[in-house]
Amino acid sequence: MNGKLALALCALLHTLSPSAAGTAASAAADASDYPRMTREEAQRYLSENKRPAPLSANLPEYIRAADAKTVEAMLSAGADPNENSASLLQTPLEMATASCSDANNNIGDIQRTIEVLLAHKANVRTEHPDGNSLIFIAAQNCPGSIVRRLLKAGAEPDKRTEQGFTPLSIALLLGNHDAATALIEAGARLDKNTAAQLLAGSPNDERLKKLLQAASGK
């Protein structure tokens, strides 16, 4: 790995959760049973459960806790599923995807929260000035089931960051093989030089070898 790539990697890893690989291996529950509410049901739920007003600024706490029912209630009562103001560093869907890094969250609950946001037309093609995309967040922390769901909803598998990383390269670098498999199935690929650099870091990892072969055509 050359010096420039190593420095970029160190800067990136400083921002990543240490629990990425462990979370990726978590069992995923069926997300088809996410809660659905009418506006009246949502308002009643918020009132009876002493939840705050359905404002976008109040969503992050419940999204990060993977509380799908409260998120559904807030959205059905009028909160914006695509809030992207200066006060929020991530969109609601990005927050839900990033919550995979919290070992206290259940993957099934995260999936249900993501389904709620998608049902309310949350945008899957968000991108930041540094090139970080929704699927890049998912590739770091989430299991393949969530990566596949976001790809099915229209997220792009090959968006590159300004440091040169793709969702697939970061998934392989962090050992999130489940997410990497989902990305390769969706057509994500690596050039042979990147594949060689990744293999040099873990030359005895047989699963990594197979994934790199599939991703680079070697």
Side-chain angles (χ1 to χ4, degrees), residues 168 172 177 180-181 184-185 188-190 195 198-199 202-218:
L168 178 55
L172 290 168
H177 293 165
T181 298
I184 292 169
E185 289 172 355
R189 293 294 181 266
L190 295 174
L198 287 167
L199 183 59
S202 302
N204 299 317
D205 187 330
E206 291 302 320
R207 188 176 183 193
L208 176 61
K209 285 181 182 179
K210 290 179 181 179
L211 289 170
L212 289 173
Q213 288 170 355
S216 64
K218 289 185 68 175

Side-chain angles (χ1 to χ4, degrees), residues 16-22 101 141:
L16 300 180
S17 163
S19 60
S101 66
N141 299 305

Side-chain angles (χ1 to χ4, degrees), residues 188-201:
R189 293 294 181 266
L190 295 174
D191 62 72
K192 293 184 179 181
N193 182 53
T194 300
Q197 290 177 340
L198 287 167
L199 183 59

Side-chain angles (χ1 to χ4, degrees), residues 100-173:
C100 288
S101 66
D102 187 343
N104 293 317
N105 284 338
N106 176 275
I107 290 297
D109 292 337
I110 295 171
Q111 287 183 301
R112 281 182 279 275
T113 303
I114 288 173
E115 288 295 340
V116 165
L117 288 159
L118 292 175
H120 285 270
K121 310 302 182 186
N123 182 15
V124 297
R125 294 205 171 194
T126 58
E127 187 176 334
H128 297 273
D130 59 7
N132 284 5
S133 62
L134 177 67
I135 208 68
F136 189 80
I137 297 171
Q140 295 170 36
N141 299 305
C142 294
S145 57
I146 287 180
V147 172
R148 289 184 183 90
R149 181 66 184 95
L150 295 173
L151 291 169
K152 182 179 179 181
E156 298 172 280
D158 282 318
K159 281 286 184 179
R160 189 178 294 273
T161 69
E162 64 179 11
Q163 294 172 324
F165 294 100
T166 64
L168 178 55
S169 66
I170 199 63
L172 290 168
L173 190 61

Side-chain angles (χ1 to χ4, degrees), residues 4 7 11 14 39 41 72 119 125 165 171 184 195 198 202:
K4 185 175 180 181
L7 288 173
H14 182 70
R39 190 178 187 89
E41 289 170 338
E72 166 65 21
R125 294 205 171 194
F165 294 100
I184 292 169
L198 287 167
S202 302

